[in-house]
Amino acid sequence: MYLSTAASRTAASRSWRSHVRTAVLASVLPFTLATASAQDGPQLNLPRVELNAGMHRIDAQVAQAPQERQTGLMHRQNMPLHEGMLFVFEQPATQCFWMKNTLLPLSTAFVADDGTIVNLADMQPQTLDSHCSTKPVRYVLEMNQGWFAHKDIKAGFKLSGAPFKR
């Protein structure tokens, strides 16, 4: 659209900015509200899946929906030794995690579709340090810090369970 006068260009510019501002707010507001509600308290009632790391059984909560993944293990005061949380993403990508509002020290396994651990990371409570997968993955398993090391589980180890069967 071509505008011939400065006044009409200014009015059109204001109108355009108003539409852009409205569109930005409309797209950001749901995320902001989801962020606020996602951090209200710990998630204790997510579905569970049994995983195995060799002879070791893992009872993992499954965080699959975006809000469940966003909240993760935030606000948890404790977690039994054989429990963890499995984050499931729609497709493989570089996954990065931090520990905002997370009270427990955790070890994280970035896991390929076939259950192979790509890399591990130890994460300190309530920090904003980013810990990322070294390759694209769909699964991330968080356990109490040291769980993998105590069981001598390293990158290349293969986990088993329903999510990894194809």
CSV table of all heavy atoms in Angstrom, one decimal, residues 14-48:
chain,number,residue,atom,x,y,z
A,14,ARG,N,1.3,3.8,12.9
A,14,ARG,CA,0.8,3.6,14.3
A,14,ARG,C,-0.2,2.3,14.3
A,14,ARG,O,-0.1,1.5,15.2
A,14,ARG,CB,0.0,4.8,14.8
A,14,ARG,CG,0.9,5.8,15.5
A,14,ARG,CD,0.0,6.8,16.2
A,14,ARG,NE,0.6,8.1,15.9
A,14,ARG,CZ,0.1,9.1,15.3
A,14,ARG,NH1,-1.2,9.0,14.9
A,14,ARG,NH2,0.7,10.2,15.1
A,15,SER,N,-1.0,2.2,13.3
A,15,SER,CA,-1.9,1.1,13.2
A,15,SER,C,-1.2,-0.2,13.0
A,15,SER,O,-1.5,-1.2,13.7
A,15,SER,CB,-2.9,1.3,12.0
A,15,SER,OG,-3.7,0.2,11.8
A,16,TRP,N,-0.2,-0.2,12.2
A,16,TRP,CA,0.7,-1.4,11.9
A,16,TRP,C,1.3,-1.8,13.2
A,16,TRP,O,1.3,-3.0,13.6
A,16,TRP,CB,1.7,-1.1,10.8
A,16,TRP,CG,2.6,-2.3,10.6
A,16,TRP,CD1,2.3,-3.4,9.9
A,16,TRP,CD2,3.9,-2.4,11.1
A,16,TRP,NE1,3.4,-4.2,9.9
A,16,TRP,CE2,4.4,-3.7,10.6
A,16,TRP,CE3,4.7,-1.7,11.9
A,16,TRP,CZ2,5.6,-4.1,11.0
A,16,TRP,CZ3,6.0,-2.2,12.2
A,16,TRP,CH2,6.4,-3.4,11.8
A,17,ARG,N,1.9,-0.8,14.0
A,17,ARG,CA,2.6,-1.1,15.2
A,17,ARG,C,1.6,-1.7,16.2
A,17,ARG,O,2.0,-2.6,17.0
A,17,ARG,CB,3.3,0.2,15.8
A,17,ARG,CG,4.7,0.4,15.1
A,17,ARG,CD,5.4,1.5,15.8
A,17,ARG,NE,5.3,2.6,14.9
A,17,ARG,CZ,5.3,3.9,15.2
A,17,ARG,NH1,5.4,4.2,16.4
A,17,ARG,NH2,5.2,4.8,14.3
A,18,SER,N,0.4,-1.1,16.3
A,18,SER,CA,-0.6,-1.6,17.2
A,18,SER,C,-0.9,-3.1,16.9
A,18,SER,O,-1.0,-3.9,17.8
A,18,SER,CB,-1.9,-0.7,17.1
A,18,SER,OG,-2.9,-1.3,17.9
A,19,HIS,N,-1.1,-3.4,15.6
A,19,HIS,CA,-1.4,-4.8,15.2
A,19,HIS,C,-0.2,-5.7,15.6
A,19,HIS,O,-0.4,-6.8,16.1
A,19,HIS,CB,-1.7,-4.9,13.7
A,19,HIS,CG,-3.0,-4.3,13.3
A,19,HIS,ND1,-4.2,-4.8,13.8
A,19,HIS,CD2,-3.3,-3.3,12.5
A,19,HIS,CE1,-5.2,-4.1,13.3
A,19,HIS,NE2,-4.6,-3.2,12.5
A,20,VAL,N,1.0,-5.3,15.4
A,20,VAL,CA,2.2,-6.1,15.7
A,20,VAL,C,2.2,-6.3,17.2
A,20,VAL,O,2.4,-7.4,17.7
A,20,VAL,CB,3.5,-5.4,15.2
A,20,VAL,CG1,4.7,-6.1,15.8
A,20,VAL,CG2,3.5,-5.5,13.7
A,21,ARG,N,2.0,-5.2,18.0
A,21,ARG,CA,2.0,-5.3,19.5
A,21,ARG,C,1.0,-6.3,20.0
A,21,ARG,O,1.2,-7.1,20.8
A,21,ARG,CB,1.8,-3.9,20.1
A,21,ARG,CG,2.1,-3.8,21.5
A,21,ARG,CD,2.0,-2.4,22.1
A,21,ARG,NE,2.7,-1.4,21.3
A,21,ARG,CZ,2.2,-0.3,20.7
A,21,ARG,NH1,0.9,-0.1,20.8
A,21,ARG,NH2,2.9,0.5,20.0
A,22,THR,N,-0.2,-6.2,19.4
A,22,THR,CA,-1.3,-7.1,19.8
A,22,THR,C,-0.9,-8.5,19.4
A,22,THR,O,-1.1,-9.4,20.3
A,22,THR,CB,-2.6,-6.7,19.1
A,22,THR,OG1,-2.9,-5.4,19.4
A,22,THR,CG2,-3.7,-7.6,19.4
A,23,ALA,N,-0.3,-8.8,18.3
A,23,ALA,CA,0.1,-10.1,17.9
A,23,ALA,C,1.2,-10.7,18.8
A,23,ALA,O,1.1,-11.8,19.2
A,23,ALA,CB,0.5,-10.1,16.4
A,24,VAL,N,2.1,-9.8,19.2
A,24,VAL,CA,3.2,-10.3,20.0
A,24,VAL,C,2.6,-10.6,21.4
A,24,VAL,O,2.9,-11.6,22.0
A,24,VAL,CB,4.3,-9.2,20.1
A,24,VAL,CG1,5.3,-9.5,21.3
A,24,VAL,CG2,5.0,-9.1,18.8
A,25,LEU,N,1.8,-9.7,22.0
A,25,LEU,CA,1.2,-10.0,23.3
A,25,LEU,C,0.4,-11.3,23.3
A,25,LEU,O,0.4,-12.1,24.2
A,25,LEU,CB,0.3,-8.8,23.7
A,25,LEU,CG,1.1,-7.6,24.2
A,25,LEU,CD1,0.1,-6.4,24.5
A,25,LEU,CD2,2.0,-7.9,25.4
A,26,ALA,N,-0.4,-11.5,22.2
A,26,ALA,CA,-1.2,-12.7,22.1
A,26,ALA,C,-0.4,-13.9,22.1
A,26,ALA,O,-0.7,-15.0,22.6
A,26,ALA,CB,-2.1,-12.6,20.8
A,27,SER,N,0.8,-13.9,21.5
A,27,SER,CA,1.7,-15.0,21.4
A,27,SER,C,2.5,-15.2,22.7
A,27,SER,O,2.8,-16.3,23.0
A,27,SER,CB,2.6,-15.0,20.2
A,27,SER,OG,3.5,-13.9,20.3
A,28,VAL,N,2.8,-14.2,23.4
A,28,VAL,CA,3.6,-14.2,24.6
A,28,VAL,C,2.8,-14.5,25.8
A,28,VAL,O,3.2,-15.3,26.7
A,28,VAL,CB,4.5,-12.9,24.8
A,28,VAL,CG1,5.2,-12.9,26.1
A,28,VAL,CG2,5.5,-12.8,23.6
A,29,LEU,N,1.6,-14.0,25.9
A,29,LEU,CA,0.8,-14.1,27.1
A,29,LEU,C,0.5,-15.6,27.5
A,29,LEU,O,0.7,-15.9,28.6
A,29,LEU,CB,-0.5,-13.3,26.9
A,29,LEU,CG,-1.4,-13.2,28.2
A,29,LEU,CD1,-0.6,-12.6,29.3
A,29,LEU,CD2,-2.6,-12.4,27.9
A,30,PRO,N,0.1,-16.5,26.5
A,30,PRO,CA,-0.1,-17.9,27.0
A,30,PRO,C,1.2,-18.5,27.5
A,30,PRO,O,1.1,-19.2,28.5
A,30,PRO,CB,-0.5,-18.6,25.7
A,30,PRO,CG,-1.0,-17.5,24.8
A,30,PRO,CD,-0.3,-16.2,25.2
A,31,PHE,N,2.4,-18.2,26.9
A,31,PHE,CA,3.6,-18.7,27.4
A,31,PHE,C,3.9,-18.2,28.8
A,31,PHE,O,4.3,-18.9,29.7
A,31,PHE,CB,4.8,-18.3,26.5
A,31,PHE,CG,6.1,-18.8,27.0
A,31,PHE,CD1,6.5,-20.1,26.9
A,31,PHE,CD2,7.0,-17.9,27.6
A,31,PHE,CE1,7.7,-20.6,27.4
A,31,PHE,CE2,8.2,-18.4,28.1
A,31,PHE,CZ,8.5,-19.7,28.0
A,32,THR,N,3.6,-16.9,29.1
A,32,THR,CA,3.9,-16.3,30.4
A,32,THR,C,2.9,-16.9,31.4
A,32,THR,O,3.4,-17.3,32.5
A,32,THR,CB,3.6,-14.8,30.3
A,32,THR,OG1,4.5,-14.2,29.3
A,32,THR,CG2,3.9,-14.1,31.6
A,33,LEU,N,1.7,-17.1,31.0
A,33,LEU,CA,0.7,-17.8,32.0
A,33,LEU,C,1.1,-19.2,32.2
A,33,LEU,O,1.1,-19.7,33.4
A,33,LEU,CB,-0.7,-17.7,31.4
A,33,LEU,CG,-1.3,-16.3,31.3
A,33,LEU,CD1,-2.6,-16.3,30.7
A,33,LEU,CD2,-1.4,-15.6,32.7
A,34,ALA,N,1.6,-19.9,31.2
A,34,ALA,CA,2.0,-21.3,31.4
A,34,ALA,C,3.2,-21.4,32.3
A,34,ALA,O,3.3,-22.2,33.1
A,34,ALA,CB,2.3,-22.0,30.0
A,35,THR,N,4.1,-20.4,32.1
A,35,THR,CA,5.3,-20.4,32.9
A,35,THR,C,5.0,-20.2,34.4
A,35,THR,O,5.5,-20.8,35.3
A,35,THR,CB,6.3,-19.3,32.5
A,35,THR,OG1,6.6,-19.5,31.1
A,35,THR,CG2,7.5,-19.2,33.3
A,36,ALA,N,4.0,-19.2,34.6
A,36,ALA,CA,3.6,-18.9,36.0
A,36,ALA,C,3.0,-20.1,36.6
A,36,ALA,O,3.3,-20.5,37.8
A,36,ALA,CB,2.7,-17.7,36.0
A,37,SER,N,2.0,-20.8,35.9
A,37,SER,CA,1.3,-21.9,36.5
A,37,SER,C,2.2,-23.1,36.6
A,37,SER,O,2.0,-24.0,37.4
A,37,SER,CB,0.1,-22.2,35.7
A,37,SER,OG,0.4,-22.6,34.4
A,38,ALA,N,3.2,-23.3,35.7
A,38,ALA,CA,4.1,-24.4,35.7
A,38,ALA,C,5.0,-24.5,36.9
A,38,ALA,O,5.5,-25.5,37.3
A,38,ALA,CB,4.9,-24.5,34.4
A,39,GLN,N,5.2,-23.3,37.6
A,39,GLN,CA,6.1,-23.3,38.6
A,39,GLN,C,5.5,-23.2,40.0
A,39,GLN,O,6.1,-22.8,41.0
A,39,GLN,CB,7.1,-22.1,38.4
A,39,GLN,CG,7.9,-22.2,37.2
A,39,GLN,CD,8.8,-21.1,36.9
A,39,GLN,OE1,9.0,-20.2,37.7
A,39,GLN,NE2,9.4,-21.1,35.8
A,40,ASP,N,4.2,-23.5,40.1
A,40,ASP,CA,3.5,-23.4,41.4
A,40,ASP,C,3.9,-24.4,42.4
A,40,ASP,O,3.9,-24.2,43.6
A,40,ASP,CB,2.0,-23.5,41.2
A,40,ASP,CG,1.4,-22.2,40.5
A,40,ASP,OD1,2.2,-21.2,40.4
A,40,ASP,OD2,0.3,-22.3,39.9
A,41,GLY,N,4.2,-25.6,42.0
A,41,GLY,CA,4.6,-26.7,43.0
A,41,GLY,C,5.1,-27.9,42.2
A,41,GLY,O,5.1,-27.9,41.0
A,42,PRO,N,5.5,-28.9,43.0
A,42,PRO,CA,6.1,-30.1,42.4
A,42,PRO,C,5.1,-30.9,41.6
A,42,PRO,O,3.9,-30.9,42.0
A,42,PRO,CB,6.7,-30.9,43.5
A,42,PRO,CG,6.0,-30.4,44.7
A,42,PRO,CD,5.5,-29.0,44.4
A,43,GLN,N,5.5,-31.6,40.6
A,43,GLN,CA,4.7,-32.6,39.9
A,43,GLN,C,4.9,-33.9,40.5
A,43,GLN,O,6.0,-34.5,40.4
A,43,GLN,CB,5.1,-32.6,38.4
A,43,GLN,CG,5.0,-31.3,37.6
A,43,GLN,CD,5.3,-31.5,36.2
A,43,GLN,OE1,4.4,-31.5,35.4
A,43,GLN,NE2,6.6,-31.6,35.8
A,44,LEU,N,3.8,-34.5,41.0
A,44,LEU,CA,4.0,-35.8,41.7
A,44,LEU,C,3.1,-36.9,41.1
A,44,LEU,O,3.2,-38.0,41.4
A,44,LEU,CB,3.7,-35.6,43.2
A,44,LEU,CG,4.5,-34.7,44.0
A,44,LEU,CD1,4.0,-34.5,45.4
A,44,LEU,CD2,6.0,-35.1,44.0
A,45,ASN,N,2.2,-36.5,40.2
A,45,ASN,CA,1.2,-37.4,39.7
A,45,ASN,C,1.3,-37.6,38.2
A,45,ASN,O,0.3,-37.9,37.5
A,45,ASN,CB,-0.2,-37.0,40.1
A,45,ASN,CG,-0.4,-37.0,41.6
A,45,ASN,OD1,0.0,-37.9,42.2
A,45,ASN,ND2,-0.9,-35.9,42.1
A,46,LEU,N,2.4,-37.5,37.6
A,46,LEU,CA,2.6,-37.8,36.1
A,46,LEU,C,2.5,-39.3,35.9
A,46,LEU,O,2.8,-40.1,36.8
A,46,LEU,CB,3.9,-37.2,35.6
A,46,LEU,CG,4.1,-35.7,35.7
A,46,LEU,CD1,5.5,-35.3,35.2
A,46,LEU,CD2,3.0,-35.0,34.8
A,47,PRO,N,2.2,-39.7,34.7
A,47,PRO,CA,2.3,-41.2,34.4
A,47,PRO,C,3.7,-41.7,34.6
A,47,PRO,O,4.7,-40.9,34.6
A,47,PRO,CB,1.9,-41.2,32.9
A,47,PRO,CG,1.4,-39.9,32.5
A,47,PRO,CD,1.8,-38.9,33.5
A,48,ARG,N,3.8,-43.0,34.8
A,48,ARG,CA,5.1,-43.6,35.1
A,48,ARG,C,5.4,-44.7,34.1
A,48,ARG,O,4.5,-45.3,33.5
A,48,ARG,CB,5.1,-44.1,36.5
A,48,ARG,CG,5.1,-43.1,37.5
A,48,ARG,CD,5.1,-43.7,39.0
A,48,ARG,NE,5.1,-42.6,39.9
A,48,ARG,CZ,6.2,-42.1,40.5
A,48,ARG,NH1,7.4,-42.5,40.1
A,48,ARG,NH2,6.1,-41.1,41.4
